[in-house]
């Protein structure tokens, strides 16, 4: 029953109940309120594949997570977007407290997500006791969360693995113990932040100005004077602390408790090799407040649920995250490189955010196009709209294949994360833009869900390196590690697993793998300046062939699992679009499988249980 009033204009002579039905509010429910596991056949397919015999134990838990993310978490994300975090800078006596006040909607969602996370230590242990690999479930958890709120995903996951990993390797024992307490609920608990970017820019890290100096016990004595407390064992650890001063221009999850901060030890080289990572906690060892001030929170385009701010360090107690043998020199010159090794994991996280935005945009588009009527039929039955929706389905499933391979493929490809992020982050933006177009003018209005998706998605190509930085990483991997060799081997292996019956697609992708090898060798012989300029088309070519090969592999899995051929159709459409020679007619004469088998594509991408 409708909850709105019937107005006089609803009864005009050229109106009527049948016309009014086309824009009845209750017909446009969108993705929110659905179980996002049950409505996603592609996710269920991947979980069956990657969990194997553990799927039976895992599925009820996956279904419960799908209900949580599609229900309360999705609803609260909209509320948090309208009422974002705020900074309480001073207390009633004018003292700097730099406290971030999170809205109740955020806190409620965060509590539910952390309590039920598939990455929390007790859940991981339970899964292993039942003989289930928890890794695929953790990937599914991220995938579902990112469809609801990538800002929340950033708030929970920004730098947690980096903080925990580097702390365990290099921090003093008492500091390790404190960090373990902070992350008792797991690395995705929202306690971490990584503070790299300064006003000089996020990519040119060698230009940063933040400086660390050896403490020599001064901070310990100062803290004792202020707090009147003695720190047990301080005499044994006084030399471990540094003083850190500087200003970070863009720090996400500013309300966290443990930060990895890049700085240059006093006297170090003024460049990349002079950079070292430091651990800074919100509280000093003695329990007093550390010298971490929040200047202001950023007024951002999107991802409003994560508190991003400008952070000032004033004689902050810090701990060098480098081998103890190099502490006297302020690090071993490998601090940035060591952090960059952990960055690939972060890039996969951003890739998942791009995929989450794309998946949500796709589902909202399908929901709307099935309900909205124009020219005497639903939009989803119009040929041009079917072409657009089919393209969205194929592109989203191609990126889904990339991201899941990045997380679950073994061994992990050195070159994979940069290529996956290059494609996934950009798709999040273009898919959200397409979803707005599908919704027409309604999509441009904040009361509908797709405007926020576009605002949120736009940050993904920036976080953890823009397209140019990703391309430079591809160059570094190829030149220094010959990382293209295992990459090409992986593609060849995937094509070998293609199902029988569509040899033309497998032959096309196999041929392009050979062409890609030739392109890489040709590129390596180019003039240095020209080679850098050609990195972008080369990386795009690599991503195209990578995704096509993985879709063929998935088609082989589907054939073995159920005898179906839908994934083979997806692989064929993708390869035809991305890899085939369109010819003089630009593909106008190509088979119309995207239209003829649209129902297979659509039903295999999304099931609306309300219909």
């Amino acid at each position: 029953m409708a909850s709105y009033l019937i107005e006089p204009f609803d009864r005009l002579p050229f109106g009527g109940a049948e016309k009014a039905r086309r824009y009845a509010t209750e017909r446009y429910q969108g993705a929110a309120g659905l179980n996002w596991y049950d409505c996603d056949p592609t996710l269920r397919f991947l979980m069956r594949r990657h969990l194997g015999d553990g799927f039976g134990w895992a599925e009820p838990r996956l279904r419960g997570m799908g209900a949580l993310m599609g229900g309360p978490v999705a609803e609260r994300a909209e509320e948090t977007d309208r009422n974002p975090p705020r900074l309480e800078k001073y207390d009633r006596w004018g003292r700097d407290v730099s406290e971030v006040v999170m809205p109740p909607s955020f806190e409620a969602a965060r509590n539910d997500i952390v309590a039920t996370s598939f990455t929390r230590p007790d859940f991981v242990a339970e899964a292993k006791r039942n003989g289930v690999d928890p890794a695929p479930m953790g990937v599914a958890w991220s995938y579902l969360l990112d469809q609801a709120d990538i800002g929340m995903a950033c708030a929970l996951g920004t730098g947690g693995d980096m903080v925990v990993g580097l702390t365990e390797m290099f921090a003093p024992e008492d500091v390790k113990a404190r960090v373990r307490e902070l992350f008792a609920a797991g690395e995705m608990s929202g306690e971490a932040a990584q503070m790299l970017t300064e006003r000089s820019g996020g990519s040119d890290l060698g230009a940063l100005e933040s400086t660390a100096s050896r403490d020599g016990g001064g901070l310990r004595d100062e803290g004792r004077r202020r707090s009147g407390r003695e720190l047990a064992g301080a005499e044994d650890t006084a030399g471990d602390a540094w003083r850190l001063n500087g200003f970070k221009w863009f720090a996400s999850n500013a309300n966290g408790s443990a930060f990895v901060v890049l700085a240059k030890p006093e006297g170090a080289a003024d460049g990349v090799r002079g950079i070292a990572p430091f651990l800074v906690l919100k509280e000093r060892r003695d329990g007093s407040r550390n010298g971490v001030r929040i200047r202001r929170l950023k007024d951002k385009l999107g991802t409003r649920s994560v508190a991003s701010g400008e952070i000032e360090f004033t004689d902050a107690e810090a701990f060098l995250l480098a081998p103890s043998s190099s502490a006297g020199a302020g690090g071993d010159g490998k601090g940035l490189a060591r952090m960059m090794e952990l960055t690939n994991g972060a890039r996969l996280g951003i890739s998942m955010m791009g995929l989450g935005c794309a998946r949500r945009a796709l589902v909202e588009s399908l929901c709307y196009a099935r309900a909205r009527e124009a020219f005497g039929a639903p939009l989803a039955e119009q040929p041009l709209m079917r072409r657009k929706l089919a393209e969205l389905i194929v592109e989203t499933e191609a990126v889904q294949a990339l991201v899941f391979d990045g997380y679950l493929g073994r061994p992990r490809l050195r070159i994979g994360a940069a290529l996956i992020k290059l494609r996934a982050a950009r798709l999040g933006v273009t898919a959200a833009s397409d979803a707005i177009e599908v919704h027409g003018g309604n999509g441009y209005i904040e009361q509908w869900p797709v405007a926020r998706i576009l605002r949120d998605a736009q940050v993904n190509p920036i976080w953890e390196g823009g397209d140019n930085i990703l391309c430079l990483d591809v160059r570094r991997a190829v030149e220094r590690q010959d990382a293209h060799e295992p990459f090409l081997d992986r593609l060849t292996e995937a094509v070998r697993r293609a199902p029988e019956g569509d040899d033309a697609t497998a032959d096309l992708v196999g041929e392009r793998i050979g062409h890609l090898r030739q392109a890489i060798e040709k590129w390596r012989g180019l003039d240095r300046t020209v080679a850098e300029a050609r990195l972008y088309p080369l990386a795009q070519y690599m991503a195209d062939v990578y995704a096509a090969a993985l879709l063929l592999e998935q088609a082989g899995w589907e054939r073995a699992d159920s005898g179906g051929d839908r994934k083979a159709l997806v692989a064929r459409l993708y390869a035809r679009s991305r890899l085939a020679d369109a010819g003089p007619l630009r593909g106008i004469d190509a088979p119309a499988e995207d239209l003829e088998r649209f129902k297979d594509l659509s039903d295999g991408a999304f099931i609306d249980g309300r219909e």
Side-chain angles (χ1 to χ4, degrees):
M1 184 67 66
S3 59
Y4 46 84
L5 297 173
I6 302 300
E7 303 287 353
F9 54 74
D10 289 317
R11 302 187 179 92
L12 291 173
F14 291 103
E18 183 58 28
K19 286 186 177 180
R21 187 191 68 84
R22 294 179 300 176
Y23 42 85
T25 302
E26 63 271 17
R27 297 183 63 233
Y28 298 92
Q29 299 184 61
L34 290 169
N35 184 310
W36 287 354
Y37 175 79
D38 284 341
C39 76
D40 190 344
T42 63
L43 177 61
R44 299 203 305 272
F45 165 71
L46 289 171
M47 288 298 99
R48 285 197 307 274
R49 170 65 191 180
H50 288 290
L51 287 166
D53 293 339
F55 178 70
W57 180 89
E59 186 167 47
R61 293 159 177 83
L62 289 163
R63 182 166 287 119
M65 188 60 67
L68 174 67
M69 297 301 184
V73 173
E75 180 181 351
R76 291 166 184 159
E78 300 293 338
E79 179 65 23
T80 301
D81 184 69
R82 292 189 291 269
N83 300 279
R86 62 180 176 85
L87 176 63
E88 194 165 292
K89 180 66 175 171
Y90 302 106
D91 70 7
R92 63 185 64 184
W93 285 105
R95 295 184 181 275
D96 190 330
V97 292
S98 289
E99 291 290 343
V100 177
V101 180
M102 304 302 294
S105 54
F106 176 92
E107 294 291 1
R110 178 184 181 276
N111 291 341
D112 282 349
I113 294 167
V114 172
T116 59
S117 166
F118 293 157
T119 66
R120 68 187 192 276
D122 61 316
F123 181 87
V124 170
E126 181 186 2
K128 290 180 177 178
R129 284 196 302 270
N130 284 275
V132 177
D133 179 5
M137 298 186 72
V139 175
W141 175 79
S142 295
Y143 171 77
L144 292 167
L145 171 58
D146 285 329
Q147 294 173 54
D149 187 359
I150 68 169
M152 176 65 77
C154 178
L156 295 180
T158 179
D161 57 342
M162 189 177 292
V163 170
V164 172
L166 291 175
T167 298
E168 287 295 331
M169 284 192 283
F170 302 118
E173 289 302 320
D174 63 314
V175 176
K176 288 181 185 178
R178 293 179 62 196
V179 170
R180 287 168 190 156
E181 290 177 7
L182 287 173
F183 290 90
E187 295 174 2
M188 303 284 284
S189 62
E191 296 293 348
Q194 53 190 44
M195 300 193 178
L196 288 63
T197 303
E198 298 189 0
R199 286 177 287 192
S200 56
S203 300
D204 188 9
L205 290 174
L208 66 80
E209 300 166 356
S210 294
T211 304
S213 55
R214 294 303 299 261
D215 174 51
L219 282 173
R220 176 199 62 188
D221 297 337
E222 179 184 333
R224 284 176 172 178
R225 285 193 298 272
R226 281 199 309 269
S227 67
R229 294 164 56 188
E230 291 290 323
L231 175 64
E235 292 77 8
D236 298 329
T237 57
D240 296 323
W242 293 65
R243 289 177 185 263
L244 198 149
N245 289 275
F247 184 44
K248 297 297 180 180
W249 183 240
F250 205 112
S252 291
N253 206 34
N255 53 319
S257 302
F259 319 128
V260 168
V261 184
L262 289 184
K264 292 174 181 172
E266 197 168 10
D270 187 12
V272 172
R273 287 191 61 80
I275 296 173
F278 290 83
L279 174 70
V280 177
L281 300 178
K282 193 172 184 178
E283 294 183 348
R284 291 187 167 101
R285 272 173 159 163
D286 62 12
S288 64
R289 181 68 177 261
N290 207 354
V292 182
R293 303 170 186 268
I294 303 176
R295 288 275 191 91
R296 61 179 174 176
L297 295 183
K298 297 291 193 181
D299 185 9
K300 297 178 296 180
L301 174 68
T303 59
R304 293 173 177 168
S305 53
V306 59
S308 301
E310 299 165 14
I311 310 297
E312 179 185 1
F313 296 95
T314 53
D315 278 344
E317 181 185 69
F319 303 94
L320 178 66
L321 298 174
S324 57
S325 59
S326 66
D332 55 2
K334 301 178 181 178
L336 185 59
R338 194 173 291 115
M339 279 190 63
M340 290 302 101
E341 291 177 9
L342 298 171
T343 298
N344 275 343
R347 284 178 175 164
L348 285 175
I350 305 303
S351 302
M352 185 64 86
M353 292 178 188
L355 172 59
C357 290
R359 171 68 192 177
R360 179 71 183 276
L362 169 62
V363 172
E364 296 291 353
S365 296
L366 287 169
C367 286
Y368 191 84
R370 291 172 179 178
R372 182 66 166 162
E373 294 176 6
F375 309 110
L379 292 181
E381 295 180 10
Q382 311 285 355
L384 279 169
M385 182 58 73
R386 285 195 164 188
R387 181 209 66 82
K388 170 55 67 180
L389 294 172
E391 179 184 87
L392 266 176
I393 291 168
V394 170
E395 291 291 330
T396 300
E397 292 188 30
V399 164
Q400 184 189 58
L402 288 170
V403 174
F404 274 70
D405 190 66
Y407 273 103
L408 300 174
R410 293 293 181 270
R412 281 194 177 179
L413 298 170
R414 164 64 182 86
I415 212 169
L419 295 174
I420 294 167
K421 182 183 180 296
L422 184 72
R423 181 56 52 82
R426 189 61 58 187
L427 179 67
V429 177
T430 57
S433 179
D434 285 342
I436 287 177
E437 186 178 352
V438 169
H439 283 69
N442 289 334
Y444 202 64
I445 305 303
E446 292 287 353
Q447 203 169 5
W448 294 77
V450 287
R452 178 176 70 88
I453 300 171
L454 180 61
R455 287 192 286 104
D456 285 357
Q458 190 60 63
V459 78
N460 290 326
I462 300 170
W463 273 343
E464 301 300 342
D467 289 356
N468 290 346
I469 297 301
L470 297 173
C471 290
L472 291 173
D473 189 49
V474 170
R475 180 178 71 182
R476 186 162 47 247
V478 171
E479 291 182 342
R480 297 182 184 178
Q481 299 166 269
D482 285 333
H484 59 293
E485 294 294 350
F487 171 73
L488 294 171
D489 289 344
R490 172 72 182 98
L491 270 56
T492 302
E493 174 191 35
V495 174
R496 288 198 191 105
R497 294 173 177 168
E500 295 180 1
D502 189 6
D503 295 339
T505 303
D507 290 346
L508 171 61
V509 178
E511 182 181 44
R512 293 297 182 260
I513 294 172
H515 291 167
L516 183 55
R517 178 180 292 279
Q518 294 174 28
I520 293 170
E521 292 306 318
K522 182 68 175 179
W523 169 82
R524 297 184 84 169
L526 295 175
D527 169 82
R528 188 73 174 172
T529 300
V530 175
E532 182 171 317
R534 297 290 184 267
L535 273 168
Y536 183 77
L538 177 65
Q540 290 288 353
Y541 191 9
M542 296 170 89
D544 286 342
V545 184
Y546 188 12
L550 293 178
L551 287 173
L552 280 173
E553 182 178 60
Q554 288 190 359
W557 296 346
E558 182 188 48
R559 183 68 56 82
D561 178 61
S562 64
D565 71 339
R566 180 185 173 278
K567 279 292 182 181
L569 171 64
V570 173
R572 189 160 58 249
L573 292 172
Y574 185 84
R576 186 179 297 152
S577 170
R578 292 278 184 169
L579 301 179
D581 181 357
L585 301 184
R586 301 297 295 273
I588 291 174
D589 59 337
E593 288 185 289
D594 54 340
L595 302 181
E596 294 165 359
R597 295 192 59 184
F598 179 77
K599 181 173 173 56
D600 291 338
L601 288 171
S602 178
D603 291 350
F606 170 62
I607 298 172
D608 190 340
R610 297 170 301 211
E611 294 178 351

